[in-house]
Amino acid sequence: MPDLQLIALALTAVLSVIVIFLLLRGGNSAVTPRTPRTPRMDGKPRWHAKPGAVYTWDEIKKHKTQDDLWVVVSGKVYDVTSWLPRHPGGFAIMNAAGDDATEWMKEILPHPETAWKELEDYYIGNVDEKKAK
């Protein structure tokens, strides 16, 4: 009987370690999270808006990975790379990677006012609407 108790105790310990690991890892996605190439401790984007910065859709579409993630919302371009690991919706944001996320933010998964305010911290410029998507 003591052998059974010892096995049960060991099994409980192993399962506890696995659960703690998954919780600390943030296992809420099938996509493996990675640290951005140039992480910023302040959570701000790596790119900085220049007055009048304008990006073509060809340029925006290049930024669609976990390490380099831009989205467009209402004609504004945002570098949300550093936000990805902290995004409350996990990696759902990757659905709009390098593309227009306006519909996602407004209709598909309506975001609260706080998300819209937070988004402004990641603004880097505007879309060149003269060039086709």
Side-chain angles (χ1 to χ4, degrees):
M1 192 69 154
D3 290 334
L4 225 50
Q5 289 176 337
L6 188 59
I7 291 171
L9 183 62
L11 199 58
T12 302
V14 169
L15 289 174
S16 297
V17 169
I18 291 171
V19 168
I20 289 170
F21 172 77
L22 291 175
L23 289 173
L24 292 176
R25 184 175 153 259
N28 63 346
S29 173
V31 179
T32 305
R34 288 182 273 164
T35 305
R37 283 186 307 246
T38 53
R40 296 200 35 153
M41 298 311 288
D42 60 3
K44 301 294 184 218
R46 288 179 288 137
W47 301 81
H48 296 284
K50 299 174 186 140
V54 177
Y55 301 97
T56 64
W57 279 108
D58 286 341
E59 174 64 22
I60 294 163
K61 288 178 184 289
K62 293 176 187 176
H63 303 273
K64 59 183 179 182
T65 68
Q66 294 177 39
D67 295 330
D68 186 16
L69 178 57
W70 289 11
V71 295
V72 173
V73 177
S74 300
K76 292 183 175 182
V77 183
Y78 301 91
D79 177 355
V80 293
T81 308
S82 60
W83 174 244
L84 181 60
R86 298 179 297 125
H87 184 246
F91 286 79
I93 196 171
M94 294 300 295
N95 289 313
D99 207 346
D100 195 329
T102 307
E103 187 176 5
W104 280 96
M105 292 270 306
K106 289 183 176 180
E107 296 171 22
I108 297 173
L109 295 169
H111 286 60
E113 187 177 327
T114 54
W116 291 92
K117 288 179 183 175
E118 177 91 22
L119 185 62
E120 289 307 313
D121 290 340
Y122 301 92
Y123 172 76
I124 59 169
N126 295 312
V127 175
D128 183 356
E129 296 295 347
K130 295 175 187 169
K131 304 237 176 172
K133 187 176 179 184

